[in-house]
mmCIF file of all heavy atoms in Angstrom:
data_model
loop_
_atom_site.group_PDB
_atom_site.id
_atom_site.type_symbol
_atom_site.label_atom_id
_atom_site.label_comp_id
_atom_site.label_asym_id
_atom_site.label_seq_id
_atom_site.Cartn_x
_atom_site.Cartn_y
_atom_site.Cartn_z
ATOM 1 N N ILE A 299 -43.052 -120.859 -12.679
ATOM 2 C CA ILE A 299 -43.117 -122.227 -13.203
ATOM 3 C C ILE A 299 -44.496 -122.529 -13.781
ATOM 4 O O ILE A 299 -44.617 -123.078 -14.876
ATOM 5 C CB ILE A 299 -42.750 -123.241 -12.097
ATOM 6 C CG1 ILE A 299 -41.258 -123.146 -11.780
ATOM 7 C CG2 ILE A 299 -43.143 -124.666 -12.489
ATOM 8 C CD1 ILE A 299 -40.836 -123.890 -10.534
ATOM 9 N N ASN A 300 -45.535 -122.169 -13.067
ATOM 10 C CA ASN A 300 -46.892 -122.523 -13.479
ATOM 11 C C ASN A 300 -47.479 -121.637 -14.570
ATOM 12 O O ASN A 300 -48.372 -122.078 -15.298
ATOM 13 C CB ASN A 300 -47.829 -122.514 -12.269
ATOM 14 C CG ASN A 300 -47.543 -123.667 -11.338
ATOM 15 O OD1 ASN A 300 -47.242 -124.766 -11.777
ATOM 16 N ND2 ASN A 300 -47.621 -123.417 -10.048
ATOM 17 N N ARG A 301 -46.989 -120.415 -14.717
ATOM 18 C CA ARG A 301 -47.634 -119.486 -15.646
ATOM 19 C C ARG A 301 -46.777 -119.056 -16.833
ATOM 20 O O ARG A 301 -47.325 -118.749 -17.891
ATOM 21 C CB ARG A 301 -48.071 -118.234 -14.897
ATOM 22 C CG ARG A 301 -49.120 -118.528 -13.858
ATOM 23 C CD ARG A 301 -49.572 -117.267 -13.175
ATOM 24 N NE ARG A 301 -50.521 -117.609 -12.121
ATOM 25 C CZ ARG A 301 -50.788 -116.842 -11.119
ATOM 26 N NH1 ARG A 301 -50.197 -115.667 -10.987
ATOM 27 N NH2 ARG A 301 -51.654 -117.221 -10.200
ATOM 28 N N LYS A 302 -45.468 -119.010 -16.678
ATOM 29 C CA LYS A 302 -44.648 -118.385 -17.718
ATOM 30 C C LYS A 302 -43.570 -119.279 -18.317
ATOM 31 O O LYS A 302 -43.143 -119.035 -19.439
ATOM 32 C CB LYS A 302 -43.984 -117.119 -17.167
ATOM 33 C CG LYS A 302 -44.972 -116.052 -16.775
ATOM 34 C CD LYS A 302 -44.278 -114.818 -16.265
ATOM 35 C CE LYS A 302 -45.300 -113.753 -15.886
ATOM 36 N NZ LYS A 302 -44.651 -112.557 -15.365
ATOM 37 N N ALA A 303 -43.093 -120.254 -17.572
ATOM 38 C CA ALA A 303 -41.942 -121.037 -18.015
ATOM 39 C C ALA A 303 -42.279 -121.888 -19.232
ATOM 40 O O ALA A 303 -43.329 -122.519 -19.299
ATOM 41 C CB ALA A 303 -41.445 -121.920 -16.881
ATOM 42 N N ASP A 304 -41.342 -121.887 -20.187
ATOM 43 C CA ASP A 304 -41.470 -122.781 -21.333
ATOM 44 C C ASP A 304 -40.629 -124.030 -21.057
ATOM 45 O O ASP A 304 -40.000 -124.170 -20.004
ATOM 46 C CB ASP A 304 -41.034 -122.081 -22.621
ATOM 47 C CG ASP A 304 -39.598 -121.573 -22.571
ATOM 48 O OD1 ASP A 304 -38.874 -121.863 -21.606
ATOM 49 O OD2 ASP A 304 -39.212 -120.864 -23.514
ATOM 50 N N LYS A 305 -40.628 -124.951 -22.012
ATOM 51 C CA LYS A 305 -39.934 -126.219 -21.831
ATOM 52 C C LYS A 305 -38.446 -126.027 -21.521
ATOM 53 O O LYS A 305 -37.894 -126.668 -20.625
ATOM 54 C CB LYS A 305 -40.102 -127.059 -23.097
ATOM 55 C CG LYS A 305 -39.856 -128.517 -22.928
ATOM 56 C CD LYS A 305 -40.118 -129.225 -24.248
ATOM 57 C CE LYS A 305 -40.924 -130.473 -24.013
ATOM 58 N NZ LYS A 305 -41.190 -131.190 -25.265
ATOM 59 N N GLU A 306 -37.807 -125.124 -22.244
ATOM 60 C CA GLU A 306 -36.377 -124.862 -22.042
ATOM 61 C C GLU A 306 -36.108 -124.320 -20.639
ATOM 62 O O GLU A 306 -35.166 -124.751 -19.961
ATOM 63 C CB GLU A 306 -35.879 -123.873 -23.098
ATOM 64 C CG GLU A 306 -34.401 -123.611 -23.033
ATOM 65 C CD GLU A 306 -33.947 -122.628 -24.107
ATOM 66 O OE1 GLU A 306 -34.584 -122.571 -25.170
ATOM 67 O OE2 GLU A 306 -32.957 -121.920 -23.853
ATOM 68 N N SER A 307 -36.930 -123.398 -20.186
ATOM 69 C CA SER A 307 -36.765 -122.826 -18.847
ATOM 70 C C SER A 307 -36.969 -123.892 -17.773
ATOM 71 O O SER A 307 -36.233 -123.928 -16.781
ATOM 72 C CB SER A 307 -37.762 -121.697 -18.619
ATOM 73 O OG SER A 307 -37.518 -120.636 -19.487
ATOM 74 N N LEU A 308 -37.963 -124.740 -17.971
ATOM 75 C CA LEU A 308 -38.219 -125.800 -16.992
ATOM 76 C C LEU A 308 -37.061 -126.792 -16.919
ATOM 77 O O LEU A 308 -36.684 -127.239 -15.830
ATOM 78 C CB LEU A 308 -39.526 -126.526 -17.319
ATOM 79 C CG LEU A 308 -40.794 -125.701 -17.103
ATOM 80 C CD1 LEU A 308 -42.001 -126.441 -17.655
ATOM 81 C CD2 LEU A 308 -40.987 -125.362 -15.643
#
Side-chain angles (χ1 to χ4, degrees):
I299 289 169
N300 289 322
R301 296 182 184 159
K302 296 181 180 179
D304 58 7
K305 199 178 225 180
E306 184 180 331
S307 296
L308 291 171

